[in-house]
Amino acid sequence: MAIRFVLLVNKQGQTRLAQYYEQLTIDERRALEGEIVRKCLARTENQCSFVEHRNYKVVYRRYASLFFLIGVDSEENELAILEFIHCVVETMDRYFGNVCELDIMYHLEKAHFILEEMVMNGCIVETNKSNILGPIQLMDKSF
Amino acid sequence: MSFTTMEQLKTIGRELAMGSQGVWGSSKEFLELVKTIGEAKSKAEEERIVLAEIESLKRRIQEPDVPRKKMKEYIMRLVYVEMLGHDASFGYIHAVKMTHDDNLLLKRSGYLAVTLFLNEDHDLIILIINTIQKDLKSDNYLVCCAALTAVCRLINEETIPAVLPQIVELLNHQKELVRKKAVMALHRFFQRSPSTVSHLFPAFQERLCDRDPSVMSAVLCALYDMILVNVKPFKHLVASLVSILKQAVEHRLPKSYDYHRTPAPFVQIKLLKILALLGTGDKAASENMFNVLGDILKRSDSTSNIGNAILYECVRTLTSIYTNPRLLQNAAEITAKFLKSDNHNLKYMGIDALGRLIKITPECAENHQLAVIDCLEDPDDTLKRKTLDLLYKMTKANNVEVIVERMVEYIRNISDNHYKTEISSRVIELAERYAPSNQWFIQTMNQVFEIAGDLVPQKVAHDLMRLIAEGAGEEDEDADSHLRSSAVQAYLQILKEPKLPSILLQVISWVLGEYGIADGSHSAEFIIGKLCDIVATRPGDDKLKGYVVSAITKICAFEKAAGQTVDLIPECVSFIEELYASHSTDLQQRIYEFHAVLKLDRDTIASILPMDASCEDIEVDKDLSFLNSFVESALANGSRPYLSDNERRGMGAMTTLASNNDAGTSSLLRFQPYEKPSIPEPAAALVTASHYSQDAIDQHDIYSSTITVSTSSRAPESSSNDGTRLKLEGVQKKWGRPTYTPEAQVPKNPINISDSVKVSSSAAGKEASSRNSSAPPYTERKQPSQEISAEKKKLAASLFGSKAGETKAKPAAKLQQNGTSKKAPAKPTSPPAPAPAPPPADLLDLSDSLPQIPSVDPVDQLADLISVDSSAATSTTSLVEQVLDAGKVATKGPSPQASLQKDSVSRQVGVTPSGGTNPDLFKDLFG
């Protein structure tokens, strides 16, 4: 399993979206999120976008006030994950239109649906934006 | 601030444009909640909001007849509660119920919540299986997909059979989306329980040729995991996979799979990973791949991140499969490019790629010496650690000293225990494998102990003690005793430091006890005083006390055996007195033994606690034959013969009462230690006593009991060692490298290096080579090198220079001096040429510029804004105008028009435009 978690955290360290592909208790998640965010916030912009934490490699990227973090195992291609983050944001941007933090908060389930289409079982399964958004937009219409 | 004004304007527009009913069905109440969470300024405030929310939800979710849409909202609020770190289990059942809903959005939201809340072993899952089964049969393919998505999260090994047949059927569904998700569900089953889907390999392969590329790429995910487990059944796929990769590279997949004009990069990368597995050690398979790999190297765009990601993956593949010199040459060029880049991410990838390349062509490291050193000295911790990984991979006998020194220096400066443990274990491993001399080894181990302390496994301490005791394992007693006395010197130095870890103190205590007075340079009183000091630093540490008592016992015994009397100093007496009443029976036993031993006569003492006999074998007479005469005379005097346990039990019924006193009780309470009190008599039995007690200490920890301390007989297979760190200056002096400290207070026993340098038996049998390398006496004084580049060159030479066998040791040693004595080796003092801290070209972060508001002329924006608002709602127009009058409008994204429009349509909260709100919430993620 390659991707172990996807996290969206703002620069105050508040979690905006969390999806884990392995089993952790609420307390473990809380601790993990706190530690990782602290690490990432401490880094400067020209340092690597990768941080090792415990057994994870965390790839992160900042968009405005939001950090997107993806925890992966050691076999993963960090640079590709970095671009995958961008692909996620682009997809959200296409769906929400100029996506901002509040869009994700109001429509948390939609953000999750997008992620569900893109990552399954910890694998990147889809990056084609029409394939990702098609079913979600259909569902919106049916509502 | 014009920026804030803009935000306020947007907010007002939003408020006006939306009624109380949200576009996507969210109520004002929900939006209000999200808004407050979004605006919380601290964790504590967020906590308060969530706790209040939990209370209100607990109440309201129970109410009868909650409308379905309302319920969905409650469930999303539960998701928030858990996401923010609180337990929402009181509402799980409602999420489960929601999965039954007929409405697709509600159903999918229910599934989503359930997958977020429950792990696959949760009791509630059983309630969902039925729903999933039903949904898998649905005519609406979106319902099918929702169920399949849930299957991937909720089905465990036991429930697989309940859904497997249906999912296999769905592999042929007419909708590609369903086929894709069915493949992923089976992938999940493979992860959970490979045997359940092993009969489906042909079906997977069939899907690999699916007419839809997205199904094909899902199959790749599954294939990768399957091949990882077992390559064989998939070897025949090489040709097909190569052809798929070729098509992707040649841009024959639909344009919608492009990412930034790169054709299907994630598919390419997945395929490269699979090919790497298939081509490992398989020449024929690899030859099939060379063409397409060459193609990728040619076509990939090295100016974009994604292009570089593919190139990097290609390098990985090339270093895994059967080698092709030409392509490997290309891989080396790419790696070089990465390393030379100013971008830290690329450097990182470059270091990683280099680590893979040197496994095949070790020489290529030399071309990148300076780049590697730059990375090593970079302030970026990630890069530095990655470089240490690389160095670890390229450690050899000729550079072990420099590399280990770097690692030690690194762990000295970090506080993260996880990495301290990991890197110190690497240091230990390297030191064991490549140590040039015993002294270096002991010194290194001491440093590790000092830094990583109790994170180091106990075994390492035992191995270190054994190494000191056994010396080189040769017949050269002089060298051994020299090694020991230098160890004693070093430890006496170390003791001057505050706050040493327990494990190091244990080693010190043992060494002082065993060898403290061996060379006659220290008096027994002095050593005992030191030992008492050790205890004083860690009053609560019983295990340590055990070591100290045993050490004192040994010293007193040695003294007495030598015909001297020992006057215990007052601290020692009070320390001992205390132990008589210790809560620890182990300590009590030790102290009583101590007393017993002291009362014995000189000869007996000498035979039970001989000098430096910790490595002698102890002959254990299991039959206790020395008691034979005693037994015989007892029998002759009418005692009953001994009956074994079993015999006694056999006759138990009859003799119960009669034998109660002896046999009965003893069978109940027989614990071995009781047998010992027979000590006083024979000397031989006693030999073991002290050793036993040593063992007893160690029973606290797992490894110990055999290896321990004084004990004699262990086979010296591995001379691993560890040490806590030494005060370096002192150590160096004592270790006989007078060079480091200018004063060169040459140790009392000037160390003859060639004598003392002995390869530990475990040092991988490298005796010959290590001896050579350490032969040049360390006489050079370190010249404080002024220019860094020179220092760097030296470092490079010592890391990479693989020529000149004898000269090697020198630069290494020198560097070590630099490093250790200065502690902070001249770091990023900006070397002139190689430019280590380059202004980072940041390819990555689009948004970096965002925080500083794009400098667009506000006035230019006005026109846009007006047009937006007039088209949106009449009332907003006037508002906009008001703001216009005020003359300040700032812009947010590049297209304020679009975003404002969207804002007004889709975000409908009453966010009060007070300055206190969180403006970040509205900021477009893309600048």
Side-chain angles (χ1 to χ4, degrees):
Chain A
M1 186 184 285
I3 295 182
R4 317 264 292 271
F5 61 77
V6 176
L7 272 182
L8 271 63
V9 184
N10 74 3
K11 63 174 191 243
Q12 282 89 33
Q14 296 162 313
T15 308
R16 292 303 179 227
L17 182 148
Q19 178 64 278
Y20 289 83
Y21 300 94
E22 61 186 0
Q23 294 181 13
L24 293 179
T25 66
I26 294 180
D27 289 336
E28 285 166 341
R29 294 176 182 190
R30 225 181 167 172
L32 183 73
E33 287 165 23
E35 291 163 16
I36 291 182
V37 172
R38 233 171 292 133
K39 264 193 187 171
C40 292
L41 284 174
R43 297 173 62 80
T44 64
E45 280 168 17
N46 43 23
Q47 296 187 329
C48 300
S49 311
F50 321 128
V51 177
E52 288 180 37
H53 183 73
R54 298 199 212 155
N55 300 317
Y56 304 106
K57 277 191 301 194
V58 180
V59 180
Y60 70 95
R61 197 154 172 167
R62 184 179 163 172
Y63 293 90
S65 58
L66 260 197
F67 283 88
F68 284 66
L69 307 102
I70 295 189
V72 295
D73 63 25
S74 56
E75 281 312 294
E76 210 42 58
N77 179 332
E78 292 93 337
L79 213 48
I81 294 292
L82 192 66
E83 285 309 285
F84 178 68
I85 293 179
H86 193 68
C87 187
V88 172
V89 179
E90 282 181 347
T91 310
M92 289 185 172
D93 198 56
R94 184 186 288 189
Y95 180 72
F96 291 110
N98 288 17
V99 64
C100 70
E101 189 177 335
L102 204 58
D103 284 321
I104 294 168
M105 294 185 71
Y106 283 164
H107 308 294
L108 188 59
E109 75 279 17
K110 298 294 167 58
H112 268 292
F113 293 158
I114 291 176
L115 206 56
E116 278 184 346
E117 297 295 326
M118 301 182 77
V119 181
M120 295 181 85
N121 310 338
C123 298
I124 299 176
V125 60
E126 188 66 81
T127 51
N128 178 334
K129 297 187 183 70
S130 351
N131 287 358
I132 298 163
L133 296 179
I136 299 173
Q137 282 158 342
L138 264 179
M139 186 167 59
D140 287 341
K141 273 184 210 156
S142 75
F143 187 69
Chain B
M1 250 201 139
S2 56
F3 183 66
T4 342
T5 320
M6 175 61 188
E7 294 303 332
Q8 291 178 2
L9 178 69
K10 283 194 334 193
T11 315
I12 296 165
R14 233 172 261 136
E15 272 189 341
L16 292 172
M18 339 224 151
S20 60
Q21 190 56 42
V23 204
W24 282 326
S26 313
S27 71
K28 173 139 185 167
E29 188 193 25
F30 175 71
L31 301 174
E32 200 65 53
L33 168 73
V34 171
K35 187 200 81 181
T36 11
I37 292 175
E39 287 171 3
K41 289 207 189 51
S42 64
K43 263 273 172 241
E45 191 181 341
E46 186 185 278
E47 197 95 348
R48 268 200 307 281
I49 298 167
V50 176
L51 289 176
E53 178 63 17
I54 291 175
E55 283 318 304
S56 118
L57 277 176
K58 270 187 184 161
R59 198 159 23 82
R60 299 175 59 185
I61 211 165
Q62 307 283 10
E63 287 167 6
D65 301 329
V66 178
R68 292 147 65 217
K69 279 185 191 169
K70 193 78 196 164
M71 185 54 90
K72 181 215 149 200
E73 212 177 280
Y74 287 157
I75 287 169
M76 288 320 292
R77 286 156 77 164
L78 290 173
V79 170
Y80 260 99
V81 167
E82 287 232 326
M83 184 173 81
L84 298 176
H86 294 265
D87 175 50
S89 54
F90 62 88
Y92 288 175
I93 189 68
H94 298 280
V96 171
K97 277 191 207 153
M98 179 131 288
T99 61
H100 305 329
D101 204 290
D102 292 332
N103 178 288
L104 177 60
L105 178 63
L106 299 190
K107 180 186 279 294
R108 189 155 181 196
S109 303
Y111 275 133
L112 171 70
V114 170
T115 57
L116 290 172
F117 292 151
L118 309 182
N119 67 44
E120 59 185 30
D121 301 321
H122 198 283
D123 295 339
L124 287 176
I125 297 284
I126 204 71
L127 299 177
I128 302 169
I129 302 287
N130 205 11
T131 321
I132 289 181
Q133 286 177 324
K134 212 174 80 209
D135 288 345
L136 287 175
K137 287 186 204 129
S138 169
D139 293 336
N140 183 344
Y141 78 96
L142 291 176
V143 172
C144 259
C145 289
L148 284 169
T149 309
V151 163
C152 287
R153 303 296 298 265
L154 301 175
I155 298 294
N156 66 14
E157 208 178 329
E158 282 128 52
T159 41
I160 288 176
V163 290
L164 184 61
Q166 281 172 290
I167 290 173
V168 174
E169 235 167 79
L170 292 177
L171 277 180
N172 295 309
H173 197 277
Q174 56 169 9
K175 280 287 181 186
E176 61 280 355
L177 188 62
V178 177
R179 296 199 299 274
K180 173 173 80 179
K181 298 213 172 203
V183 168
M184 292 313 286
L186 295 177
H187 171 227
R188 173 62 166 191
F189 297 164
F190 180 81
Q191 289 177 333
R192 282 287 161 272
S193 164
S195 60
T196 53
V197 292
S198 53
H199 63 288
L200 293 171
F201 288 172
F204 275 110
Q205 290 172 26
E206 196 185 318
R207 286 299 120 219
L208 188 60
C209 311
D210 197 287
R211 60 184 181 278
D212 189 278
S214 72
V215 181
M216 175 273 294
S217 82
V219 174
L220 295 181
C221 298
L223 270 186
Y224 177 75
D225 278 359
M226 294 172 182
I227 294 175
L228 208 52
V229 175
N230 184 6
V231 189
K232 279 214 184 96
F234 301 97
K235 284 279 187 188
H236 65 284
L237 288 179
V238 172
S240 331
L241 293 167
V242 166
S243 121
I244 297 173
L245 180 55
K246 202 164 160 53
Q247 294 177 49
V249 174
E250 289 170 357
H251 223 143
R252 292 208 245 136
L253 295 184
K255 277 259 182 297
S256 53
Y257 287 87
D258 286 9
Y259 173 81
H260 293 192
R261 267 171 292 151
T262 306
F266 297 98
V267 173
Q268 287 192 44
I269 288 171
K270 200 90 215 178
L271 279 164
L272 284 169
K273 280 188 186 301
I274 294 176
L275 292 183
L277 295 177
L278 289 172
T280 305
D282 184 336
K283 189 173 178 197
S286 303
E287 277 168 351
N288 273 329
M289 305 170 190
F290 291 153
N291 249 336
V292 72
L293 294 177
D295 242 22
I296 295 178
L297 293 182
K298 238 178 281 154
R299 283 170 180 258
S300 291
D301 167 20
S302 64
T303 60
S304 75
N305 259 337
I306 193 68
N308 283 324
I310 295 175
L311 287 173
Y312 161 79
E313 199 61 55
C314 214
V315 172
R316 274 181 77 153
T317 307
L318 284 169
T319 51
S320 308
I321 65 177
Y322 189 85
T323 49
N324 172 317
R326 187 179 53 83
L327 291 175
L328 221 48
Q329 180 57 35
N330 293 342
E333 283 159 19
I334 291 167
T335 307
K337 231 186 203 169
F338 285 175
L339 285 169
K340 284 186 195 125
S341 162
D342 285 342
N343 181 308
H344 273 54
N345 288 338
L346 287 187
K347 280 192 184 184
Y348 176 94
M349 304 311 275
I351 293 282
D352 186 274
L354 186 58
R356 294 169 192 278
L357 274 176
I358 56 167
K359 279 187 208 146
I360 301 167
T361 49
E363 324 80 66
C364 70
E366 282 165 42
N367 304 330
H368 305 294
Q369 302 180 5
L370 288 181
V372 170
I373 289 166
D374 278 349
C375 292
L376 186 63
E377 303 193 335
D378 197 282
D380 183 344
D381 188 57
T382 305
L383 204 50
K384 188 178 280 196
R385 192 174 298 158
K386 191 80 189 168
T387 314
L388 285 177
D389 281 352
L390 172 69
L391 294 183
Y392 168 73
K393 286 182 200 151
M394 46 183 256
T395 307
K396 288 184 234 107
N398 62 22
N399 56 15
V400 64
E401 290 174 79
V402 200
I403 288 175
V404 162
E405 185 223 318
R406 287 285 163 158
M407 288 180 164
V408 167
E409 180 193 316
Y410 181 75
I411 46 177
R412 196 186 293 280
N413 293 319
I414 59 170
S415 55
D416 183 325
N417 278 350
H418 182 266
Y419 292 110
K420 251 188 192 172
T421 314
E422 184 182 302
I423 298 177
S424 54
S425 75
R426 282 185 169 184
V427 168
I428 293 163
E429 183 197 326
L430 292 179
E432 284 178 3
R433 196 166 344 148
Y434 298 113
S437 70
N438 276 353
Q439 292 198 337
W440 177 86
F441 182 78
I442 293 171
Q443 173 192 343
T444 305
M445 288 305 106
N446 287 344
Q447 294 187 40
V448 173
F449 271 130
E450 204 178 337
I451 298 166
D454 300 323
L455 299 173
V456 182
Q458 187 85 32
K459 174 176 185 301
V460 179
H462 293 152
D463 288 350
L464 176 60
M465 290 186 266
R466 190 158 42 142
L467 176 80
I468 294 175
E470 286 172 352
E474 291 163 21
E475 292 309 307
D476 190 350
E477 266 306 316
D478 273 1
D480 286 355
S481 62
H482 180 78
L483 179 77
R484 288 169 198 146
S485 54
S486 58
V488 169
Q489 287 299 341
Y491 285 136
L492 288 174
Q493 278 297 327
I494 292 177
L495 280 180
K496 292 179 184 158
E497 292 200 20
K499 289 188 74 176
L500 296 168
S502 175
I503 192 164
L504 177 59
L505 290 173
Q506 289 164 23
V507 175
I508 294 179
S509 305
W510 186 82
V511 171
L512 290 186
E514 200 75 16
Y515 303 110
I517 56 172
D519 65 0
S521 55
H522 300 287
S523 70
E525 283 79 9
F526 174 75
I527 297 291
I528 290 177
K530 286 286 174 197
L531 288 167
C532 291
D533 291 346
I534 290 178
V535 176
T537 61
R538 286 181 158 261
D541 191 340
D542 278 356
K543 189 168 170 185
L544 179 61
K545 278 183 195 164
Y547 273 91
V548 168
V549 173
S550 295
I552 294 176
T553 310
K554 275 185 267 179
I555 291 175
C556 293
F558 296 157
E559 284 293 278
K560 260 197 124 175
Q564 324 254 339
T565 50
V566 190
D567 295 321
L568 292 179
I569 53 173
E571 303 102 89
C572 183
V573 174
S574 68
F575 163 60
I576 288 170
E577 295 293 322
E578 239 171 69
L579 292 188
Y580 281 116
S582 169
H583 290 300
S584 156
T585 45
D586 173 68
L587 282 177
Q588 282 198 28
Q589 160 130 5
R590 277 166 204 276
I591 208 71
Y592 281 106
E593 273 174 17
F594 168 70
H595 250 256
V597 168
L598 285 192
K599 281 185 205 136
L600 298 172
D601 66 83
R602 192 174 152 183
D603 292 340
T604 318
I605 289 183
S607 65
I608 57 173
L609 281 175
M611 274 296 242
D612 186 23
S614 62
C615 295
E616 308 298 324
D617 285 332
I618 298 175
E619 304 257 334
V620 178
D621 182 357
K622 283 190 185 146
D623 296 331
L624 304 179
S625 55
F626 54 87
L627 287 175
N628 284 351
S629 58
F630 174 77
V631 173
E632 271 160 29
S633 66
L635 285 176
N637 290 337
S639 298
R640 281 192 297 162
Y642 172 76
L643 292 176
S644 76
D645 226 19
N646 291 339
E647 289 169 306
R648 244 172 287 162
R649 234 167 256 160
M651 49 196 292
M654 298 160 53
T655 46
T656 29
L657 282 178
S659 61
N660 230 352
N661 293 335
D662 36 283
T665 43
S666 70
S667 76
L668 277 178
L669 285 176
R670 263 182 96 250
F671 296 113
Q672 279 74 345
Y674 275 39
E675 283 174 8
K676 209 145 311 145
S678 62
I679 327 165
E681 304 109 340
L686 263 186
V687 178
T688 48
S690 74
H691 299 311
Y692 272 156
S693 54
Q694 208 69 52
D695 278 341
I697 301 187
D698 297 308
Q699 272 152 12
H700 299 265
D701 49 74
I702 322 161
Y703 302 96
S704 57
S705 51
T706 33
I707 310 169
T708 338
V709 184
S710 50
T711 46
S712 30
S713 57
R714 286 73 227 225
E717 354 83 280
S718 85
S719 68
S720 63
N721 29 10
D722 43 54
T724 3
R725 85 169 191 247
L726 291 176
K727 194 68 250 167
L728 289 174
E729 308 86 314
V731 172
Q732 242 117 2
K733 255 184 266 163
K734 302 308 182 186
W735 287 126
R737 300 191 178 177
T739 48
Y740 293 13
T741 33
E743 303 79 35
Q745 329 168 324
V746 179
K748 304 166 192 174
N749 14 21
I751 291 172
N752 177 341
I753 292 191
S754 55
D755 275 355
S756 63
V757 171
K758 217 162 294 149
V759 185
S760 67
S761 54
S762 69
K766 298 235 164 200
E767 307 183 8
S769 67
S770 59
R771 219 176 259 188
N772 285 344
S773 63
S774 50
Y778 296 87
T779 45
E780 338 95 349
R781 293 230 351 213
K782 138 197 178 179
Q783 300 113 342
S785 49
Q786 293 87 345
E787 353 89 89
I788 290 113
S789 59
E791 210 166 275
K792 261 194 191 170
K793 267 181 219 150
K794 246 186 279 161
L795 177 54
S798 50
L799 281 175
F800 299 92
S802 50
K803 32 227 134 150
E806 296 123 300
T807 42
K808 252 173 255 159
K810 271 194 197 170
K814 232 194 203 161
L815 260 159
Q816 194 171 19
Q817 289 171 325
N818 290 351
T820 45
S821 56
K822 276 204 247 156
K823 226 163 194 180
K827 247 194 252 172
T829 340
S830 76
D842 123 65
L843 303 180
L844 300 171
D845 211 336
L846 299 183
S847 60
D848 284 342
S849 56
L850 230 169
Q852 310 98 314
I853 306 131
S855 59
V856 186
D857 184 354
V859 184
D860 289 349
Q861 307 293 322
L862 298 184
D864 294 345
L865 283 169
I866 295 170
S867 66
V868 172
D869 287 290
S870 52
S871 69
T874 43
S875 50
T876 30
T877 325
S878 62
L879 267 168
V880 172
E881 271 161 0
Q882 283 174 12
V883 179
L884 287 182
D885 290 344
K888 353 147 136 181
V889 176
T891 162
K892 108 180 200 176
S895 127
Q897 217 166 330
S899 60
L900 189 52
Q901 201 158 5
K902 176 200 58 162
D903 287 339
S904 55
V905 181
S906 65
R907 310 162 175 170
Q908 43 192 354
V909 195
V911 179
T912 38
S914 65
T917 56
N918 178 359
D920 285 336
L921 288 176
F922 296 102
K923 226 182 262 175
D924 285 350
L925 295 185
F926 284 110

